[in-house]
Structure formats: structure tokens, C-alpha cells
């Protein structure tokens, strides 16, 4: 290999590294400007402080966490059914009213009795093992979804 070939090889390596660096920079810039809302569905009980006394039926909690670097305007929440229909079941309790500006590193949640979800789903014609997704929507039409959770309807 002569010096001309070595020069061409080094130039190609530098060019490839530059393209990789630029792609990484664009990826992280885009990631920081796009909303990053994580939606999580959990089940539990409402307690009364430190007493350890549970004062509720089994509840389903749907929480939106802003893991991004920009504020997001949320204006809807509810459940997404297997046929992609968005439904609101009952009158859920919530820690913050919608619409709301969800700042970075902040969260909000709503909760409802599990039995109300089951009965509401039956009312809308669902039965059997149904995968239900918790969701939040923003004011520009994006929908943020949880992982599906199975319920016996």
C-alpha cells in the first residue's frame, strides 16, 4: 500500500466518523425537542396515610410522566380499547384537572375502580380477555399510550 492509498483510506475514515457524529447530533437534538410522555397503568388501593388501612376497592391508576425537556399541553385521557376506540369510563378521580401544562419531570394521574372499568367495558359491548391501554392526548393531536393490560370482562 503506498502513501496515496493510505491518504484515501484515512480520508474515508474521517468522512465516515463525521457522518456518524452528525447523525448522533441530529438524533439527540430531535429527541430533546420532541415530547416524551410515558404513560403507566398500575393497580392498587387508596390508603389513609401512615395507618396502612386501605379504604377502597381495587383501583386502576393511569399516570402520565413527562420525561422530556419541554412542557406538553394534555387535554384528554381515558382508555383505548382493542378496536382502537377511545372511551371514558365513569367519572375518574384525578390529581390535576385537564387541560393542563405538564412540565418536564412532572406527572399527573387519574384513577378509577377496577370494577367500574369492567362494568363500563361490558356496557360498550366488550367481553372475555380484553387488552386495555391507558392514554393521554395533547392539544396537537398526539396520543401517548401505556402498555396493554389484560382484564377479564
Amino acid at each position: 500500500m503506498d502513501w496515496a492509498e493510505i491518504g484515501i483510506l484515512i480520508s474515508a475514515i474521517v468522512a465516515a466518523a463525521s457522518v456518524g457524529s452528525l447523525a448522533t447530533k441530529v438524533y439527540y437534538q430531535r429527541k430533546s425537542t420532541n415530547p416524551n410522555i410515558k404513560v403507566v397503568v398500575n393497580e392498587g388501593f387508596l390508603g389513609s396515610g401512615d395507618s396502612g388501612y386501605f379504604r377502597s376497592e381495587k383501583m386502576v391508576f393511569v399516570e402520565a410522566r413527562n420525561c422530556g425537556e419541554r412542557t406538553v399541553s394534555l387535554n384528554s385521557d381515558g382508555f383505548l380499547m382493542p378496536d382502537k376506540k377511545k372511551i371514558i369510563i365513569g367519572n375518574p378521580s384525578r390529581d390535576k384537572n385537564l387541560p393542563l401544562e405538564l412540565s418536564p419531570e412532572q406527572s399527573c394521574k387519574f384513577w378509577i375502580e377496577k370494577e367500574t372499568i369492567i362494568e363500563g367495558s361490558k356496557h360498550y359491548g366488550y367481553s372475555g380477555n380484553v387488552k386495555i391501554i391507558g392514554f393521554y392526548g395533547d392539544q396537537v393531536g398526539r396520543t401517548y399510550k401505556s402498555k396493554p393490560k389484560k382484564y377479564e370482562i
Side-chain angles (χ1 to χ4, degrees), residues 18-152:
S18 296
V19 169
S21 175
L22 179 61
T24 302
K25 183 177 179 181
V26 167
Y27 170 79
Y28 283 108
Q29 282 179 339
R30 190 158 191 227
K31 186 175 180 181
S32 70
T33 59
N34 285 340
N36 187 7
I37 303 295
K38 301 290 184 205
V39 178
V40 179
V41 175
N42 288 307
E43 293 183 10
F45 298 92
L46 294 175
S48 59
D50 295 329
S51 69
Y53 170 72
F54 296 111
R55 59 179 180 88
S56 74
E57 297 296 321
K58 193 161 199 177
M59 307 296 281
V60 174
F61 299 89
V62 182
E63 180 179 20
R65 301 173 186 155
N66 188 346
C67 302
E69 297 179 16
R70 58 184 276 211
T71 299
V72 178
S73 300
L74 298 178
N75 67 350
S76 64
D77 59 19
F79 297 97
L80 186 61
M81 304 308 282
D83 56 5
K84 307 296 183 214
K85 288 184 182 173
K86 292 180 180 177
I87 63 173
I88 307 298
I89 299 173
N91 186 19
S93 299
R94 54 185 82 249
D95 63 349
K96 298 174 183 151
N97 290 324
L98 297 177
L100 75 97
E101 299 288 318
L102 194 61
S103 301
E105 299 187 19
Q106 298 294 310
S107 66
C108 64
K109 70 177 79 157
F110 73 89
W111 57 94
I112 189 166
E113 288 184 6
K114 182 177 178 179
E115 191 59 34
T116 302
I117 293 173
I118 292 169
E119 292 303 316
S121 297
K122 285 179 185 175
H123 172 77
Y124 285 105
Y126 298 97
S127 62
N129 249 340
V130 178
K131 290 183 181 178
I132 299 176
I133 296 170
F135 81 88
Y136 279 84
D138 69 16
Q139 294 195 350
V140 294
R142 287 182 288 251
T143 301
Y144 308 97
K145 303 176 211 173
S146 71
K147 291 181 180 176
K149 192 154 185 80
K150 282 186 183 179
Y151 291 95
E152 182 61 40

Side-chain angles (χ1 to χ4, degrees), residues 9-22:
L9 181 62
I10 291 173
S11 295
I13 291 170
V14 169
S18 296
V19 169
S21 175
L22 179 61

